[in-house]
Amino acid sequence: MPNYFSSDFKLGILGGGQLGKMLLYETRKFDIQTKVLDPNPEAPCKIACNEFVRGDLMNYDTVINFAEDVDVLTIEIENVNVDALETLENLGKKVFPSAKTLKRIRDKGIQKQFYKDSGIPTSPFKLYDNKSELLKDFTQGEIQLPIVWKSRTGGYDGRGVSILKTEADIDSLPDTPCLLEQKINFKNELAVIVARSVSGETKTYPVVEMEFHPTANQVEYVICPARIDDHVSKQAQEVARKVSNAFEQVGLLAVELFQTQDDEILVNEVAPRPHNSGHYSIEGAFTNQFEQHLRAVLDLPLGSTESKVGAVMVNLVGDENHEGNVYYENIEKILELKGVIPHIYGKAQTRPFRKMGHVTIVDKNLNTARQTAEEVKGLIKVISK
Amino acid sequence: MPNYFSSDFKLGILGGGQLGKMLLYETRKFDIQTKVLDPNPEAPCKIACNEFVRGDLMNYDTVINFAEDVDVLTIEIENVNVDALETLENLGKKVFPSAKTLKRIRDKGIQKQFYKDSGIPTSPFKLYDNKSELLKDFTQGEIQLPIVWKSRTGGYDGRGVSILKTEADIDSLPDTPCLLEQKINFKNELAVIVARSVSGETKTYPVVEMEFHPTANQVEYVICPARIDDHVSKQAQEVARKVSNAFEQVGLLAVELFQTQDDEILVNEVAPRPHNSGHYSIEGAFTNQFEQHLRAVLDLPLGSTESKVGAVMVNLVGDENHEGNVYYENIEKILELKGVIPHIYGKAQTRPFRKMGHVTIVDKNLNTARQTAEEVKGLIKVISK
């Protein structure tokens, strides 16, 4: 095994956002040297990495030059120049996740087709090269509304996705390669993070549950473990592991799943990196997802994915009516509550719905954690003043 | 409450070693700006703080100038210029722990006398201004060997302390202000960390136990919770809280205690900061000691001190036969064991017995954690090659 600890070994990270910032807690803990690339001079990773390079993640030459002196290259965001990663792999550089995986994921059409070809359960879909093809199908009555429309590329955090309910919704679509996907009337939205190391050791985290707001169609709480039947959990973990193996993923793979009304598990989409649905693990799991990602891409033994305690995660997003210098109203009040740990990503400016941080609530009793999470949600506001 | 989070607020930290490094995980988590002073240009805190100043912690002017633009000043090591802290307090600067507390602690004679005057149980002792006074007592037969000798100042990590068994031991003592203290034949060596905030909120961590090597007289494992009777735990926590209140301490106070053969609790010594005996809390407690110290000195509500799981901590010290570039032999083997988390402080050079890191072992069953800790201890070696 190479000597990673307090050595000359250097890990390169593409992207310097909050996921990178949390990954850096672990590289610091292991004293592993890091080099981070991000276009934002005030990126959350700016401090705590050994070397920060400002540059465009989508620029071929920038990525190639950045990677020259790193021993292993990983990502904290998928929107990077994948051709550069491919070149680097051909030059013998270790790149995790692989360019192949990123290519399969960044185009949602290819991703869906890959699931179909790999025998992985996913919702029925149809691909379209452009809008007119889609309109043709519609006029021929081959499209039943409501239906889910997704742009094949460029979608992120809900962008590039919409639910078509009326003909007007279809008319207003952009002309871009896209896919239509059956709208799943799901019982639960679940997620499973699978860790897979260079040598193929695989460990699966417990299933987490996304609890939605009763009226607003928005995830409010990520709950670990999910409050579902054991056989459904096992099934979800099996499907997730199958996806990780199909991609031959190295590192973490976060698999978002639907539990249908009749307890079928369908893959929605994946992220080949640490993921929002795994933030609870910093406080809740024996091995947090960031340390696990590090272990996986460095081919170290994977750690236990068991939970120490029940955990609920609440995202801190910018209040819709505020823009400007951020202020976390009532943060001192939530700190009074047992097992409440805020994580502030370090973005100076808030914007409506911008991800500014998250709060983890842990308790030996999951229901207590869930109740505390509701108090937290009711108290804290991300505003500007 | 001042706005600490993603604001202009700046926390100053005197000392840039491993305790500061671990404190910086928490300032990063809360996005609180930090400025660190340390003489070592390669101090573990060098990265991850917002501003690093190289300078002498014992130099009056250096400390005064460093503190000028910080809002709150804290320490991660006691050996700092306390007169400078006193001046800063008189200028209205918030300094936690206070100069008064540091003065009481740095002179072990004053510290012992303070316990006596405050009605805090501690072992019988006598102060000496110099060696000849001590020799006079000895020749008059007033000193029963074996007895513990401590230099009143300058002692750290066992230095400045020795057990006098023979007249030769006495002859070889340096001529310095010192104290003699009755050697306690203790049943257990215990420690309790007490957190006390600016406004006086106090929380006490569970009692931890230092398990000694059966033959070598050296702490091998720090175990939380201590395997002692509840009434002894309660007593130890009460004594520790009394000590924290007597010092009017702000921040953490680690109180090292002896449990005598007849279950009396005696205070040995204290540290007014995060402490080795609290490292387990990073993985084991609802609120780790570094976040707790931050909450206390910023007058935020204190977090729960309860344990999530059982925890055992093993120090990683340099092998006695090795000096040079550090190599952590078998670290990949200990990573295979459940609940094992290594912390590498980031010192490039190892020396015999130098503190290079620590390993936390957590498990829902404390005995299992203790057994795993023994495996860890048997496997990992801090060497040079």
Side-chain angles (χ1 to χ4, degrees):
Chain A
M1 183 195 79
N3 179 16
Y4 303 115
F5 307 85
S6 298
S7 74
D8 296 338
F9 176 89
K10 194 183 287 182
L11 176 69
I13 304 169
L14 297 177
Q18 61 262 22
L19 296 175
K21 179 187 175 185
M22 292 184 269
L23 181 60
L24 292 179
Y25 298 146
E26 309 309 314
T27 56
R28 297 281 296 134
K29 189 170 79 181
F30 286 174
D31 194 39
I32 291 169
Q33 277 196 62
T34 50
K35 183 182 180 185
V36 172
L37 178 68
D38 196 87
N40 174 6
E42 299 310 321
C45 282
K46 178 80 176 279
I47 65 175
C49 62
N50 297 76
E51 190 182 350
F52 181 79
V53 177
R54 185 183 180 184
D56 179 359
L57 297 162
M58 296 304 291
N59 181 289
Y60 180 90
D61 295 327
T62 304
V63 172
I64 295 286
N65 296 333
F66 170 83
E68 199 174 357
D69 68 341
V70 309
D71 300 290
V72 170
L73 186 64
T74 189
I75 60 157
E76 64 106 48
I77 184 169
E78 294 93 320
N79 301 330
V80 300
N81 189 297
V82 178
D83 297 333
L85 298 189
E86 206 158 31
T87 303
L88 289 165
E89 286 171 348
N90 295 335
L91 294 168
K93 187 75 70 180
K94 291 176 178 174
V95 180
F96 308 120
S98 67
K100 194 171 163 194
T101 297
L102 288 170
K103 278 187 171 176
R104 279 174 170 157
I105 289 170
R106 70 175 176 185
D107 181 321
K108 288 177 179 169
I110 294 174
Q111 191 182 150
K112 288 289 280 191
Q113 193 59 49
F114 176 71
Y115 297 144
K116 197 175 175 185
D117 300 345
S118 311
I120 290 161
T122 191
S123 57
F125 65 98
K126 185 171 180 185
L127 307 185
Y128 296 95
D129 290 336
N130 52 53
K131 184 173 179 178
S132 59
E133 276 187 14
L134 187 155
L135 286 169
K136 189 152 148 280
D137 264 13
F138 183 68
T139 48
Q140 291 175 359
E142 289 174 21
I143 298 175
Q144 307 305 324
L145 301 183
I147 197 161
V148 179
W149 173 91
K150 289 180 177 174
S151 166
R152 285 183 60 166
T153 57
Y156 182 64
D157 264 359
R159 275 176 278 123
V161 178
S162 60
I163 293 166
L164 311 178
K165 299 193 183 76
T166 67
E167 184 162 0
D169 294 337
I170 295 177
D171 295 339
S172 63
L173 287 173
D175 184 9
T176 166
C178 62
L179 64 93
L180 291 183
E181 174 179 292
Q182 185 190 315
K183 188 172 180 303
I184 303 299
N185 171 19
F186 55 80
K187 194 189 283 181
N188 284 303
E189 199 166 326
L190 308 172
V192 175
I193 291 176
V194 181
R196 193 167 173 278
S197 74
V198 177
S199 42
E201 183 188 9
T202 301
K203 288 204 175 175
T204 306
Y205 278 89
V207 182
V208 302
E209 166 192 354
M210 322 290 186
E211 184 180 335
F212 279 67
H213 185 283
T215 57
N217 182 40
Q218 193 185 44
V219 175
E220 267 199 301
Y221 308 106
V222 175
I223 300 171
C224 180
R227 299 162 298 181
I228 56 176
D229 296 345
D230 277 2
H231 75 275
V232 179
S233 285
K234 286 195 178 55
Q235 194 189 342
Q237 289 178 307
E238 275 165 28
V239 169
R241 183 181 281 108
K242 190 172 179 183
V243 177
S244 170
N245 290 333
F247 278 110
E248 294 171 306
Q249 168 66 349
V250 171
L252 298 188
L253 189 74
V255 185
E256 298 182 35
L257 304 158
F258 294 124
Q259 174 189 4
T260 66
Q261 295 299 336
D262 46 12
D263 289 347
E264 199 185 355
I265 295 293
L266 301 176
V267 174
N268 179 16
E269 51 188 46
V270 300
R273 49 163 173 79
H275 189 256
N276 192 264
S277 65
H279 288 351
Y280 82 89
S281 65
I282 295 174
E283 289 82 11
F286 274 87
T287 312
N288 77 62
Q289 66 167 344
F290 300 97
E291 178 181 337
Q292 195 75 291
H293 183 72
L294 204 53
R295 289 180 180 227
V297 300
L298 299 181
D299 206 19
L300 292 165
L302 298 180
S304 166
T305 54
E306 266 179 52
S307 287
K308 295 172 185 171
V309 285
V312 179
M313 194 277 294
V314 177
N315 284 312
L316 288 180
V317 299
D319 187 282
E320 58 183 324
N321 304 314
H322 287 263
E323 184 147 7
N325 294 336
V326 67
Y327 178 74
Y328 296 91
E329 190 170 73
N330 291 336
I331 191 164
E332 73 284 3
K333 289 199 174 62
I334 70 169
L335 286 168
E336 288 175 9
L337 306 172
K338 185 185 172 190
V340 170
I341 307 288
H343 293 252
I344 306 300
Y345 296 155
K347 302 170 184 176
Q349 301 287 311
T350 183
R351 287 193 304 270
F353 308 111
R354 187 181 191 192
K355 270 189 193 167
M356 301 298 287
H358 74 266
V359 180
T360 308
I361 301 94
V362 287
D363 198 279
K364 285 174 182 177
N365 179 324
L366 183 61
N367 296 325
T368 307
R370 171 62 184 76
Q371 282 160 25
T372 306
E374 205 163 317
E375 286 185 70
V376 168
K377 189 106 182 160
L379 281 166
I380 193 161
K381 291 208 162 13
V382 183
I383 63 173
S384 181
K385 66 172 209 178
Chain B
M1 185 195 77
N3 179 15
Y4 302 116
F5 308 84
S6 299
S7 75
D8 296 338
F9 176 90
K10 194 184 286 183
L11 176 69
I13 304 169
L14 297 177
Q18 61 262 22
L19 296 175
K21 178 187 176 185
M22 291 184 270
L23 182 60
L24 291 179
Y25 297 147
E26 308 310 314
T27 56
R28 296 281 297 133
K29 189 170 79 181
F30 285 175
D31 194 40
I32 291 170
Q33 276 196 63
T34 50
K35 183 182 180 184
V36 172
L37 178 68
D38 197 89
N40 174 4
E42 299 310 322
C45 282
K46 179 79 175 281
I47 64 174
C49 61
N50 298 76
E51 190 181 349
F52 181 81
V53 177
R54 186 184 179 185
D56 179 0
L57 296 163
M58 296 304 291
N59 181 290
Y60 180 89
D61 295 328
T62 304
V63 172
I64 295 286
N65 296 333
F66 171 83
E68 200 175 355
D69 68 340
V70 308
D71 299 290
V72 170
L73 186 64
T74 190
I75 60 156
E76 63 105 49
I77 184 168
E78 294 94 320
N79 302 330
V80 301
N81 188 298
V82 178
D83 297 333
L85 298 188
E86 206 156 31
T87 304
L88 289 165
E89 286 171 349
N90 296 334
L91 294 169
K93 187 75 69 180
K94 291 177 177 173
V95 181
F96 308 120
S98 66
K100 194 170 161 195
T101 297
L102 288 171
K103 278 186 171 178
R104 280 175 170 156
I105 289 171
R106 70 175 174 183
D107 181 321
K108 287 178 180 169
I110 294 174
Q111 190 181 153
K112 288 288 280 190
Q113 194 58 49
F114 177 70
Y115 297 143
K116 198 174 175 187
D117 301 344
S118 311
I120 289 161
T122 190
S123 58
F125 65 98
K126 185 171 179 185
L127 307 184
Y128 296 95
D129 290 337
N130 51 54
K131 185 174 178 178
S132 58
E133 276 187 13
L134 188 155
L135 287 169
K136 187 153 148 281
D137 264 11
F138 183 69
T139 48
Q140 292 174 359
E142 288 173 21
I143 298 175
Q144 308 304 324
L145 302 182
I147 197 162
V148 179
W149 173 90
K150 288 180 178 174
S151 168
R152 285 182 61 165
T153 57
Y156 183 66
D157 263 0
R159 274 176 277 124
V161 178
S162 60
I163 293 166
L164 311 178
K165 299 194 184 76
T166 67
E167 184 162 1
D169 293 339
I170 295 177
D171 296 339
S172 62
L173 287 174
D175 183 9
T176 165
C178 62
L179 65 92
L180 291 183
E181 171 179 294
Q182 185 189 315
K183 188 172 180 304
I184 302 299
N185 170 21
F186 55 80
K187 194 188 285 181
N188 283 304
E189 199 167 325
L190 308 172
V192 175
I193 290 175
V194 181
R196 194 166 171 279
S197 75
V198 177
S199 43
E201 183 188 8
T202 302
K203 288 203 176 174
T204 307
Y205 279 88
V207 182
V208 301
E209 167 193 353
M210 323 289 186
E211 184 181 336
F212 280 67
H213 185 284
T215 58
N217 181 40
Q218 194 187 43
V219 175
E220 269 200 301
Y221 308 106
V222 174
I223 299 171
C224 182
R227 298 161 298 182
I228 56 176
D229 295 345
D230 276 3
H231 73 276
V232 179
S233 285
K234 285 193 178 57
Q235 195 188 340
Q237 288 178 309
E238 275 164 27
V239 169
R241 182 181 275 109
K242 191 171 178 184
V243 177
S244 170
N245 290 332
F247 279 110
E248 295 171 306
Q249 168 67 348
V250 171
L252 298 188
L253 189 74
V255 184
E256 297 182 37
L257 304 158
F258 295 122
Q259 175 188 3
T260 66
Q261 294 300 336
D262 47 12
D263 289 348
E264 201 185 352
I265 295 293
L266 301 176
V267 173
N268 179 15
E269 50 188 49
V270 299
R273 50 164 173 79
H275 189 256
N276 192 263
S277 65
H279 287 350
Y280 82 88
S281 65
I282 295 174
E283 289 83 11
F286 274 86
T287 311
N288 77 61
Q289 67 167 344
F290 299 96
E291 179 181 336
Q292 195 76 291
H293 183 71
L294 203 54
R295 289 179 180 229
V297 301
L298 300 181
D299 207 19
L300 292 165
L302 298 180
S304 167
T305 54
E306 267 178 53
S307 287
K308 294 172 186 170
V309 284
V312 179
M313 193 276 293
V314 177
N315 284 312
L316 288 180
V317 300
D319 186 284
E320 57 183 324
N321 304 315
H322 288 263
E323 185 148 7
N325 294 336
V326 67
Y327 179 75
Y328 296 91
E329 189 171 73
N330 290 337
I331 192 164
E332 73 283 4
K333 289 198 174 64
I334 70 168
L335 286 168
E336 287 175 10
L337 306 172
K338 185 185 173 189
V340 170
I341 307 288
H343 293 254
I344 306 301
Y345 296 156
K347 302 169 184 175
Q349 300 287 311
T350 184
R351 288 192 302 269
F353 308 112
R354 187 181 191 191
K355 270 189 194 168
M356 301 296 288
H358 73 267
V359 180
T360 309
I361 301 95
V362 287
D363 198 279
K364 286 173 183 178
N365 179 325
L366 183 60
N367 297 326
T368 306
R370 171 63 185 75
Q371 283 160 23
T372 306
E374 206 163 315
E375 286 185 72
V376 168
K377 189 108 182 157
L379 281 167
I380 192 159
K381 290 208 164 10
V382 182
I383 61 172
S384 181
K385 65 172 210 178

